[in-house]
Amino acid sequence: MKYIIVKNINKNNLRNFSVKIPLQKLVAVVGLSGSGKSTLVNEVLYKNSLKNEWNIKNLPRTVDILEQKVILPKNSKMSLGEFNLNKLKTKLSGMQKNDLLVVDEPCAGFCKKEREMILKLLKDKVKKGYSIIAVEHNKEIITNADYVIELGPGSGRYGGKLIFEGSIAEFKKSGTVTAKHVFKITENNRPQEDLRNCKKIAISKISAGNFKNYTFSFPLKKIVCITGCSGAGKSTLLDVAYSALFKGKNAWNIKLKTVSVKGKENVRRSFIVPQSPIGTHPSSTLATYAKVWDNIRDIFSKEKMSKRLGLTKSDFIISKNILEAKSDFSKDALRVRFQGKNIKDVMNFTIDEALEIFGRDALIVRKLKFLQEAGLSYLVLGQKSNSLSGGEAQRVRIAKILSKKLGDRSVYIFDTPSRGLHLMDIPVLINIFRRIVEKNNTILIADNREEIFDYCDYKINL
C-alpha cells in the first residue's frame, strides 16, 4: 500500500506532527472540534500541493478540497442540501485518478438516506482506485472508512497530536474518545412529555417553497426539531417562523402578509442565529467578537501606570498588525500590568485563565462563563475569529446569545446547529439549549442528526 508520509510538521497546534495517509482508500480524519483536523488537510496537505513548504512524500500533485456551503448562493433555485450534493457529485465526476480529494463534512445537514447515498458515492469512487480523505463527525462515514486518523487528545493548545492511525477494525478496539462515541449504542431514555396543554404557535396559510396552504405548529418553551431530506422545506419553515413572529425594528418589511398566526401574543420576539462566518474583519478575535476586549481595555486604561504614561483605551486595541506579528503594542502599553500581566500576556490567555485573573469583573465573567460552559475553555482570547473550526464557531455564536441578558418568551432559531460538532459536543449543545428554554424561551431547529433530535421535546418530520 502506498502512503503519503507527513513528518515533523509544525503548523498552528500541530507540533512535530507525523502521520501516514494511505492512497486509494477512503480515509476518515476525526477528532474534537479544534483538534487540528483542518490544519492538517488545509494548511498542510492542500497548501503544500500549491507551495512546497514541507517535504511530504508521495503527496499527489493535485489536492482538491470540497467544503460545504453553509449559505445558499442568492441565484440558486435548489435547497442548500441539494446544492451541496450537486457540488459533491460534480467534483467526484471531474476527479482525476492521481488526484487527492478532501471532503470536509460531506454528510453535515443530510438525512440518513442521503448520508448513505453520499457514503456509496465515495466508496464507489475509491473502489475504482481514487484517493479520498473525509473530515467528518457523522457515524456513517467514520464506521465505513478504510482507514482512520484521529487527532487530539483535546482541542486548541491541548490538541494537535496523532492519537490513532489504522484500519477501522483497529479503530473500533482503540478506545479513543471518538471511537467510544462512534461505536457506543445509545438509547434515548428521555420521557415523552404530554404537550397537549402547552401553549403553541400555529402558522397557517403558508405558501412558500414547496408548501401550498400549509399549517405549521409547534409548542412553546420546548426544544423543537424539524427533520427531513434536502428540499423538504426545513429552512423554509424556519424562515416563515422567524418572519411571522418577528416584532423588532422594521418588522413590517419581513412580515408575511398571507399567513395567519395563532399564539403570537405568547412570543415577545424571534431571533435567527446565522450560519455566516463570525468576525470577518481581519482584526477580529475571539475576545473582540465576544465583546469582552472592551472591558479588558477599560481595566488596563484605568491602571495607575496608564494614567502616569497618558495612555487611553485606544492604546490597547487589537489591530491586524498585532495579530500578524508585524508590529506590537507600544512599549508604554506593555509596561502596564494587571495582576502582574501585560496586555500581550492577556491576549494569550485561555478562557479558563482569563476567568481566573478577571474573576472580580462581573461583565467579563458573564461573557466568558458561557463560552466556558459551551466547552470552549481552551480557546485563547487573541485567537483570530476566522481560524475557529466550524464546531467552535457554532458554539461561540450560541454562547454570545447567552451572554446577553436573555429576555423571556423568545423563539431562537438555528439551522443545522450540529454542524461541525463532535459527538461529545452534542450533549453540551443540548444543555445550552435547555438553559435557554428554562428562561421561558423556545428553541426551534432544523437538524438531521439522530444524536440531536433524539433529545428534543418535539419533532416534526417533513
Side-chain angles (χ1 to χ4, degrees):
M1 191 189 301
K2 195 173 183 182
Y3 290 87
I4 299 167
I5 308 292
V6 176
K7 273 193 174 181
N8 303 321
I9 299 294
N10 290 291
K11 185 71 179 178
N12 297 339
N13 65 345
L14 302 183
R15 289 287 173 264
N16 296 318
F17 183 86
S18 301
V19 68
K20 290 192 306 179
I21 306 170
L23 292 166
Q24 299 182 340
K25 299 288 180 187
L26 175 58
V27 179
V29 177
V30 304
L32 299 175
S33 301
S35 59
K37 303 183 299 295
S38 293
T39 296
L40 174 60
V41 298
N42 282 285
E43 301 292 323
V44 176
L45 299 182
Y46 174 66
K47 288 198 175 171
N48 210 71
S49 71
L50 304 176
K51 186 177 72 173
N52 196 20
E53 189 175 345
W54 297 286
N55 181 23
I56 299 176
K57 291 182 182 175
N58 303 324
L59 182 69
R61 184 173 294 177
T62 300
V63 179
D64 204 356
I65 293 189
L66 178 66
E67 293 181 327
Q68 275 205 345
K69 288 280 186 186
V70 294
I71 298 173
L72 191 65
K74 286 182 181 178
N75 298 327
S76 177
K77 294 180 181 178
M78 295 183 274
S79 72
L80 183 60
E82 289 168 329
F83 181 86
N84 280 322
L85 194 54
N86 190 55
K87 256 183 85 178
L88 176 62
K89 288 177 179 176
T90 303
K91 188 65 74 175
L92 288 171
S93 66
M95 194 179 170
Q96 299 299 309
K97 222 22 175 311
N98 294 323
D99 295 351
L100 171 63
L101 177 63
V102 177
V103 284
D104 196 351
E105 281 207 270
C107 288
F110 289 107
C111 69
K112 187 172 179 61
K113 178 178 153 189
E114 290 169 322
R115 296 196 303 259
E116 288 170 348
M117 180 181 66
I118 289 167
L119 173 65
K120 187 176 186 308
L121 286 171
L122 300 179
K123 293 287 275 185
D124 284 352
K125 203 73 180 172
V126 167
K127 281 176 188 172
K128 293 174 183 174
Y130 291 81
S131 302
I132 298 177
I133 294 176
V135 179
E136 188 57 279
H137 293 295
N138 272 287
K139 290 181 180 181
E140 279 85 359
I141 297 286
I142 299 172
T143 55
N144 289 282
D146 302 308
Y147 197 86
V148 179
I149 293 166
E150 182 168 356
L151 280 72
S155 305
R157 63 171 66 164
Y158 308 110
K161 294 182 176 63
L162 179 69
I163 60 173
F164 177 83
E165 59 178 330
S167 69
I168 191 66
E170 292 167 325
F171 180 63
K172 192 171 183 178
K173 298 173 187 173
S174 68
T176 67
V177 64
T178 302
K180 283 177 183 174
H181 281 84
V182 165
F183 296 106
K184 182 181 176 183
I185 298 171
T186 55
E187 291 182 12
N188 180 14
N189 296 317
R190 181 173 174 76
Q192 292 300 303
E193 299 179 53
D194 186 350
L195 303 177
R196 286 175 295 182
N197 297 321
C198 285
K199 288 181 179 177
K200 294 183 180 70
I201 288 292
I203 308 170
S204 55
K205 300 178 185 173
I206 298 170
S207 292
N210 299 327
F211 300 110
K212 301 295 176 195
N213 201 26
Y214 183 79
T215 298
F216 172 45
S217 65
F218 58 92
L220 294 172
K221 294 199 288 183
K222 303 292 176 189
I223 302 176
V224 179
C225 184
I226 306 171
T227 70
C229 292
S230 300
K234 301 183 298 297
S235 297
T236 299
L237 289 186
L238 294 185
D239 289 338
V240 165
Y242 173 68
S243 301
L245 300 173
F246 186 71
K247 296 178 184 176
K249 191 178 178 183
N250 296 325
W252 60 272
N253 218 12
I254 64 167
K255 187 178 178 183
L256 299 170
K257 294 169 186 172
T258 57
V259 303
S260 175
V261 186
K262 284 185 181 177
K264 192 172 183 178
E265 68 279 3
N266 297 315
V267 174
R268 192 170 57 85
R269 63 166 291 190
S270 59
F271 184 91
I272 199 158
V273 180
Q275 286 275 7
S276 53
I278 69 168
T280 53
H281 192 275
S283 63
S284 176
T285 65
L286 174 67
T288 58
Y289 179 80
K291 304 286 187 190
V292 78
W293 197 251
D294 270 353
N295 306 102
I296 291 169
R297 287 166 56 213
D298 235 3
I299 288 171
F300 273 85
S301 67
K302 288 175 183 174
E303 285 292 296
K304 286 180 182 177
M305 181 62 80
S306 287
K307 290 176 181 176
R308 192 184 306 162
L309 296 169
L311 301 177
T312 65
K313 223 174 148 180
S314 61
D315 289 292
F316 301 99
I317 287 174
I318 296 176
S319 71
K320 182 185 175 186
N321 286 338
I322 287 169
L323 288 174
E324 293 179 352
K326 289 178 183 172
S327 65
D328 211 337
F329 292 103
S330 70
K331 287 181 182 178
D332 280 349
L334 292 173
R335 287 174 65 189
V336 182
R337 293 183 176 268
F338 176 77
Q339 303 282 346
K341 305 294 181 182
N342 68 24
I343 196 73
K344 191 173 181 182
D345 295 331
V346 172
M347 272 185 70
N348 293 314
F349 279 178
T350 64
I351 288 164
D352 277 348
E353 291 165 342
L355 278 166
E356 197 173 316
I357 197 169
F358 296 113
R360 291 184 180 180
D361 189 293
L363 274 173
I364 292 177
V365 169
R366 192 178 81 220
K367 291 172 182 178
L368 293 182
K369 199 74 181 167
F370 289 111
L371 287 165
Q372 188 184 56
E373 288 178 13
L376 299 170
S377 57
Y378 61 88
L379 288 181
V380 174
L381 293 182
Q383 183 165 345
K384 291 178 76 170
S385 297
N386 62 10
S387 72
L388 295 170
S389 73
E392 288 169 336
Q394 190 74 288
R395 282 177 290 160
V396 168
R397 285 190 199 97
I398 296 165
K400 189 178 179 183
I401 293 169
L402 278 171
S403 71
K404 298 172 182 175
K405 288 190 176 177
L406 284 181
D408 64 351
R409 297 179 297 120
S410 293
V411 177
Y412 289 93
I413 300 168
F414 299 83
D415 198 343
T416 322
S418 72
R419 188 185 300 278
L421 292 189
H422 188 274
L423 289 162
M424 195 173 85
D425 297 326
I426 288 177
V428 175
L429 180 68
I430 292 293
N431 287 336
I432 293 171
F433 284 168
R434 291 264 165 242
R435 289 279 305 277
I436 298 173
V437 168
E438 282 164 10
K439 291 183 180 286
N440 199 23
N441 295 301
T442 304
I443 297 288
L444 177 63
I445 67 174
D447 210 298
N448 277 318
R449 281 179 81 173
E450 291 80 1
E451 297 88 6
I452 245 192
F453 65 65
D454 279 351
Y455 290 92
C456 293
D457 305 309
Y458 189 78
K459 188 169 84 169
I460 299 162
N461 190 24
L462 298 177

